[in-house]
Amino acid sequence: MTDRPSLASLGAASPFSRRHIGPSAHDVATMLEVVGQPSVEELLTAALPATIRLTGPDATLDLPPALSEPEATEQLRHLAARNRPMTQMIGLGYYGTITPPVVRRNVLESPAWYTAYTPYQPEISQGRLEALLNFQTVVSDLTGLPVSGASLLDEATAAAEAMTLARRAGKKLGTDTFVVDADIHPQTLAVLQTRAEPLGIRVLVSDLAELPDEPYFGLLLQYPGSSGALRDPSALIAAAHERGALVTVAADLLGLCLLKSPAELGADIAVGSAQRFGVPLGFGGPHAGYMAVAEKLARSLPGRLVGVSRDAAGAPAYRLALQTREQHIRREKATSNICTAQVLLAVMAGAYAVWHGPEGLRQIALRTHRMTAVLAAGLRQLPGATVATDAFFDTVRVTVPGRADDVLATAAAAGVNLLRVDADTVGVSCDETTTVEHLRAVWTAVGSDSTAFDVSGLDVSTLDVQTADAIPDTLVRTSGYLEHPVFAEHRSETAMLRYLRRLSDRDYALDRGMIPLGSCTMKLNATTEMEPVSWPEFANIHPFAPVEQTAGYGAMIGDLERWLAEVTGYDAVSLQPNAGSQGEFAGLLAIRSYHRGRGETHRDVCLIPSSAHGTNAASAVMAGLRVAVVACDDAGNVDLSDLRAKIDAHRDDLAALMVTYPSTHGVYEETITEVCALVHDAGGQVYVDGANLNALLGFAKPGKFGADVSHLNLHKTFCIPHGGGGPGIGPVAVRSHLAPYLPNHPLRADAGPATGPGPVSAAPWGSAGILPVPWVYLRLMGAEGLVAATGAAVLAANYVAARLRDHFPVLYAGTGGLVAHECILDLRPLTKSTGVTVDDVAKRLIDYGFHAPTMSFPVAGTLMVEPTESEDLAELDRFCDAMIAIRAEIASVADGTWPADDNPLVNAPHTATMVTGEWEHPYARDLGAYPAGRTADKYWPPVRRIDGAFGDRNLVCSCPAPEAFATT
Ligand SMILES: *Cc1c(COP(=O)(O)O)cnc(C)c1O
């Protein structure tokens, strides 16, 4: 006998949940003591209402057992192997592209970029704000329209946003008709129709041989057309303007490098996708959608807009501009429900343009066009084929009577995907990745039935010499673009690497420290979860590739739908919505369709508690519902008597209640089951906003405690990184009676029920390319790991609340003084007595090396803290210590030690320039810069406090001239 450990005991690797969860067993014991609970189990029993707590066999989630990291990767490799990456010449708005490796590794695969939060704290976000300004400049230059936003969700939803923008602007025209080019991408048309129907907008599809002879508020053109055809739309645009309509051009950014810009054609709005600027296909997403508008529409732009302002020292500094800062905060008056967008992908697209510069982009566009011209010239020589497109940029249609399926099959056998338009027609699109071999494969496939013609006889050089360009003279671009120095200065890889590093070094992301943002769940985004995103088997799949090439995605989607249904207690899940906001819209549409299906079309009122996230009300309006606000009581809970009154008032027309659980106040409301029952009794449906699922997983299921539908935020609870403001996935989960009304897709019959209301995203599974993240997370954690994570998250929030309660009042708490997974610190009394604001505290936290908590949501004048399960005790303590020290600083303002207008709080954050220059403040430089003690790891903000209002008065939202940064 020996006392050495057995092989069996050594073999069992410790579960990954111990890496995902920050606090050790020892930390947990310490934290429980502070919270005053004997165990995590008992903490949850005390905090969570017994009525919703899972018990008995239900309490065990039916999920596959946890795997180690290598095992999970191995399993995923099996799924990946069932996808077939091909040369994708399908087009329809999705094209092959080469992600510059320097961008892939240093942006897409870099935690400094992907773990960042939305830049609401601009002083610590200057790097990504500059990167987004680059993106805006690219879009603005190429479209010719002066104001571009910092990304929308995809081209189709951007077109839908343009439609509603045009309608608001054209109210006085008194018409509900929106005219759409028949040569639009089919998924764009389908999304427009989904979005138009509840708003009473009539989508009139026209071949635009001439404009309809009736009033319309807007016109949408595809440029070049989905078929590839290029037409000069200037006359149509002028005619539409005559009628008072706004004109939107859905334009291809690479095409615009050679084509007259939408602005030069007369357009008011341009929309589209930046996918082919270096962002992998990913089976449809995530990619950055874009929108640019004429100056007069700047204030109506949906989504976020980055602008230039100045800091306290007068230096130029970036921040989110105008009311677009957070559109949906305007609730039912919002112009859009967009919250999470596609920031990481917009950063990539901007970086792609910086890397290539205007000449590089022009060369890629020229080469793409030449390839297409040569392709068409070869096709014209093939017997039995007719090229149906004369003027084009990168896409042609070929008529092959009765042979489309054969041609597609032959091309696929050679590794090339083409578009099947109908039985007689195929579409072919070229792109940056197209080679002469690909042209040959297409020629061979199209010419395959002919024995009389030898395709190998086609000579590319001869065709090239003999074939003219196919861009009409009137559409040839003569105006310049990307003339700002940033698009010329980073051409060597060394320079580019350093530029990207310099930008990310200006920012504070999760790779530096805690981001305690209430409602946003900034937890670990594990490396093993992230790695597969760039595997070619996931990255290089076209969203409209044949089903048999996407079996790996299919299996992964099936797994996730099943697992997410299991953990939420619902019956069916759609992964199509590409943000929480879109999941909300899809869920509300399901409710609307359900009532209509039962002949109750009059049910159109959506009750929303006053504490709700702004997207809720904005989504309700988009779904054609009228919003009625339900009050909250002093304890922050839904006011039951007001709820009863509102239900009574709307008994006949009640469609739904939309409630967040646990509430945005960070408490588990005891009355949730009663709330659900009241709504059901009145014939309404219950929508539970699932953004806070991190407080429930494994302990309660919305689908079992009374809700009919929820969206989840996979970029919160399920580890998809925030990316600085996107990407996200907002799946919608429903009980069986709503399942027939989940989103579907015209180009993928298996993407949803035939009875559904249409698609809410351009791609059948929205942001499919990042689905490996939640898949790996669930495989690594297993049921026990998820339960442990929820317990640790709730414990951490209660620990922070317990440590800070004596210094800042914790605004709301549930039974036993316990909070859920987040807590609200009330600064209003201090602000009143000392003048120190939440802003001052948030900026001072930067000096202490933290990202501020959520400011003034859901209650103005407060900070909402959500530590998540991933922060260890040392980091939680560092944060609590900083907050307590800040409280002492506030006391020094209160007692007159420091004047109200010159103290470390109002002057925060302190930059290196500031503390090494002249110093005339009534406190030491060291206290300004190193309040938590001197440390080599100090994060230095690159700018001082930013004056947002100045920038709004002087709107600049593309790259400022370098002189703006001159220091003398
Ligand atoms: C984040 C959030 C949303 C919106 O989700 P997005 O993905 O940003 O669109 C909705 N409700 C709540 C409570 C949230 O926290």
Side-chain angles (χ1 to χ4, degrees), residues 153 304 328 337-341 518-520 578-582 584 612-616 660 664 689-692 711-713 715-716 722 728-730 857:
L153 290 162
R304 301 189 179 113
H328 56 268
N337 68 343
I338 300 262
C339 179
T340 291
S519 216
C520 293
N578 49 12
S581 60
Q582 309 304 296
E584 291 175 16
H613 194 271
T615 50
N616 289 182
T660 306
T664 52
D689 180 327
N692 290 344
H711 78 269
L712 318 178
N713 299 62
H715 46 299
K716 295 178 180 172
H722 263 61
I729 303 182
F857 171 81

Side-chain angles (χ1 to χ4, degrees), residues 4 45 72 74 129 369 386 655:
R4 63 172 166 73
T45 304
E74 174 70 13
L129 285 165
H369 180 61
T386 317

Side-chain angles (χ1 to χ4, degrees), residues 153-169:
L153 290 162
D154 54 35
E155 175 164 338
T157 54
E161 298 289 346
M163 171 175 76
T164 48
L165 196 171
R167 191 197 206 192
R168 283 191 303 279

Side-chain angles (χ1 to χ4, degrees), residues 20 40 96 162 192 299 320 361 419 435 441 447 491 510 512 549 561 580 624 639 652 785 826 937:
H20 174 83
V40 175
L192 285 173
R299 276 153 214 274
L320 297 177
L361 290 181
L419 172 68
T435 64
R491 287 308 163 63
L510 276 180
R512 283 188 192 274
Q549 293 174 16
E561 287 176 355
D639 180 337
D652 298 327
D826 194 356
D937 304 322

